[in-house]
Amino acid sequence: MEVKIQAIHFDIADKLVSFINKKAERLARHNVNISTVDVTLKVVKPETAMNKEALVKVAVPQQDDFVATKIADTFEEAIDLCLEAIERQLDKKKDRK
């Protein structure tokens, strides 16, 4: 599984990169066929409390992509919310088969 992280208009800290990688690895428990996890991070204007946006797209061969976008106070919180949503999507898809 390949994890791609893109930070739009800011430099991403190593600590945040390792956090995202660790969290993305957990998705493999829900579906072992995940090929890529694309994470896009950006700061939403205007500068308010809830201005960190995370978009997570998970690609699984022979299936539609799983996508979640969340806005939160911190990137870590937004990533957590996105991955929870994608875990639910993966579990739903697994239950249908």
Side-chain angles (χ1 to χ4, degrees):
M1 174 172 66
E2 181 183 358
V3 179
K4 299 177 190 170
I5 303 168
Q6 181 181 21
I8 299 176
H9 302 305
F10 73 95
D11 294 329
I12 190 166
D14 291 340
K15 186 175 158 189
L16 184 57
V17 170
S18 62
F19 174 84
I20 292 169
N21 285 320
K22 187 176 89 175
K23 292 290 189 172
E25 292 297 321
R26 287 185 28 211
L27 288 176
R29 290 189 288 188
H30 297 274
N31 189 327
V32 293
N33 299 322
I34 293 172
S35 59
T36 59
V37 177
D38 290 320
V39 179
T40 305
L41 304 172
K42 67 180 173 183
V43 178
V44 181
K45 301 283 186 212
E47 299 279 332
T48 59
M50 300 287 279
N51 70 335
K52 308 293 189 292
E53 181 179 353
L55 179 132
V56 178
K57 185 169 126 185
V58 175
V60 180
Q62 283 87 42
Q63 291 184 12
D64 292 334
D65 289 348
F66 300 91
V67 180
T69 304
K70 301 291 179 189
I71 297 176
D73 272 342
T74 65
F75 284 119
E76 289 85 357
E77 187 181 353
I79 293 291
D80 276 339
L81 293 171
C82 284
L83 293 179
E84 283 174 23
I86 287 177
E87 285 171 5
R88 285 192 299 274
Q89 292 174 36
L90 288 167
D91 289 342
K92 266 190 205 173
K93 191 74 168 180
K94 187 168 44 175
D95 291 344
R96 287 191 196 138
K97 288 190 172 184

